[in-house]
Amino acid sequence: MRDLTGHVNGSQVQYVTFDRTYTNEAGISINIGSGVDYKVAPRVELGIRAGIIGDVTNRYGYSALIGTLTALGAQVSYRF
């Protein structure tokens, strides 16, 4: 988005105008993850997960995330 302009009348905004250009609407990403589950009782499990996500095409202009931990989680499961 560029050229954002707001038109004000006293303390009220009348309207806002802007120009926008769509580029790189499609992209390729990589999602790599790993996890471990540990059974602590016949019906109870504990688990942890970690992963990375990388935008190969860099469509948003940010630096690549490959090699950076971007997802972390823990779980407790009980089976009825």
Side-chain angles (χ1 to χ4, degrees):
M1 183 169 48
R2 60 186 179 152
D3 297 328
L4 180 64
T5 305
H7 300 276
V8 179
N9 181 7
S11 62
Q12 295 181 352
V13 175
Q14 294 289 320
Y15 58 92
V16 176
T17 60
F18 59 91
D19 292 334
R20 63 181 170 194
T21 305
Y22 294 101
T23 57
N24 298 327
E25 291 296 319
I28 300 171
S29 297
I30 297 173
N31 186 353
I32 301 172
S34 182
V36 176
D37 291 328
Y38 179 71
K39 193 174 217 177
V40 293
R43 294 182 173 212
V44 178
E45 291 183 2
L46 301 175
I48 57 171
R49 306 275 183 271
I52 58 172
I53 301 170
D55 190 355
V56 174
T57 55
N58 200 14
R59 61 186 161 163
Y60 297 116
Y62 301 124
S63 61
L65 295 175
I66 296 175
T68 303
L69 180 67
T70 57
L72 185 62
Q75 75 178 34
V76 177
S77 303
Y78 178 81
R79 286 199 260 175
F80 294 95

